[in-house]
Amino acid sequence: HPFFFGSEARNIEPLKQYYANNGPVDIAFLPTNSVHLFGLYKLVLGGAEAVKATQILRAGKLVVIHDAHPSIPGLIHIKSSGADAERMAAQLPEPKVDVVRISPGKQWEYNPSQNY
């Protein structure tokens, strides 16, 4: 099963090019915390953006990463979460995006027949 790991994905536009060059994936691993440096400079995607990116990649599952980072006052500002991705995904028409949130230190195994 092909997957996409967008560890530090910040913008959706490059993912459109990735899809055009490589086709669909089954699972997208994307950040959802929309962390901002000094509260101004966005470093990674937020939850709603991650869901949109998952749709662009035609993936059925979004595995949330960077969902447990703490804010560091004055330096790192967390502006989103996996909960935002879940809310956005719940509003989608078919085909749905399943959002998988994994607690820190827990293991996840992909089972294509299981709905997360």
Side-chain angles (χ1 to χ4, degrees), residues 17-87:
Q17 186 62 45
Y18 177 89
Y19 175 78
N21 292 337
N22 299 286
V25 299
D26 292 332
I27 306 169
F29 294 82
L30 295 167
T32 59
N33 66 3
S34 190
V35 70
H36 281 61
L37 187 60
F38 304 115
L40 303 171
Y41 183 74
K42 184 174 90 170
L43 298 177
V44 298
L45 299 174
E49 294 171 307
V51 170
K52 289 178 188 173
T54 302
Q55 289 179 298
I56 289 167
L57 296 169
R58 307 297 192 268
K61 296 199 184 310
L62 164 61
V63 177
V64 171
I65 61 173
H66 298 332
D67 196 27
H69 288 184
S71 290
I72 301 172
L75 181 63
I76 301 293
H77 299 258
I78 306 299
K79 298 189 176 197
S80 185
S81 71
D84 294 328
E86 289 174 326
R87 281 190 290 279

